């Protein structure tokens, strides 16, 4: 069996797809359309009850969700691909920091921007929240790059 990625084009599922491609591993892609709200439909909720993409089906069977867990699992299973720096190294620590930052700081704000009416009443308040949330994950001041490298800790 091969990996199956449940995701949508232009969504955060790209990370799992990119990691498998970097590792040279074949996968099948099952499209779950966010525009059609398919992530909230019963057949997908049976795959991932949290109603989020991505989810992956592992080659041996079984579903894995949460991008951070998916990426670490891919890196662990295909060490020859060198997706993460050497275990125990300072570079590994920094890579884990950025992965954690993505999962804990950026992803939750994407939900606020994409679905503000889940947090405040629809209308002016939800538009204002969307606008407030938008710049944060795209260009947070503390992660702005200088010379192509991050200059500050999250
Ligand atoms: N904690 C999840 C978050 C995933 C997530 O927020 N995915 C977005 C798409 S990029 C999603 O499924 N949004 C649909 C929704 O919230 O209804 C992860 O790290 O994988």
């Amino acid at each position: 069996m091969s990996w199956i990625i449940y995701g949508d084009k232009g969504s955060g599922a790209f990370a799992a797809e990119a990691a498998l491609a970097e590792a040279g591993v074949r996968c099948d892609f099952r499209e779950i359309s966010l525009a059609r709200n398919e992530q909230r439909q019963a057949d997908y909720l049976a795959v991932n009850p949290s109603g989020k993409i991505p989810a992956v089906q592992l080659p041996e069977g079984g579903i894995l969700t949460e991008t951070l867990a998916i990426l670490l699992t891919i890196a662990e299973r295909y060490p020859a691909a060198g997706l993460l720096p050497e275990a125990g190294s300072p570079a590994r620590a920094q890579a884990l920091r950025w992965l954690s930052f993505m999962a804990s700081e950026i992803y939750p704000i994407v939900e606020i921007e994409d679905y503000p009416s889940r947090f405040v009443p629809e209308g002016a308040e939800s538009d204002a929240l969307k606008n407030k949330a938008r710049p944060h994950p795209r260009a947070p001041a503390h992660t702005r790059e200088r010379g192509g490298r991050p200059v500050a800790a999250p």
Side-chain angles (χ1 to χ4, degrees), residues 11-13 34 37 39-40 51-54 65-68 102-103 107 110-111 114-115 118:
S11 79
L34 294 176
N37 228 30
Q39 80 280 13
R40 293 287 176 107
K52 299 278 187 187
I53 55 171
T65 66
E66 298 303 320
T67 304
L68 178 55
M102 177 274 296
Y107 240 145
V110 170
E111 182 176 20
D114 287 349
Y115 303 96
R118 288 181 186 168

Side-chain angles (χ1 to χ4, degrees), residues 46-100:
V47 173
N48 184 3
S50 79
K52 299 278 187 187
I53 55 171
V56 298
Q57 185 179 299
L58 298 164
E60 70 275 20
I63 295 292
L64 183 62
T65 66
E66 298 303 320
T67 304
L68 178 55
I70 294 168
L71 294 179
L72 292 176
T73 300
I74 294 170
E76 239 174 48
R77 288 189 178 201
Y78 306 103
L83 295 177
L84 281 174
E86 189 187 341
S89 66
R92 174 77 151 236
Q94 295 303 323
L96 295 177
R97 177 190 69 159
W98 284 110
L99 286 167
S100 306

Side-chain angles (χ1 to χ4, degrees), residues 1 8 14 34 36 38 44 47 59 67 69 95 107 109 119 125:
M1 250 197 310
D8 197 4
F14 86 92
L34 294 176
R36 291 194 292 274
E38 289 174 358
Y44 183 66
V47 173
T67 304
Y107 240 145
I109 290 173
F119 301 91
E125 279 187 41

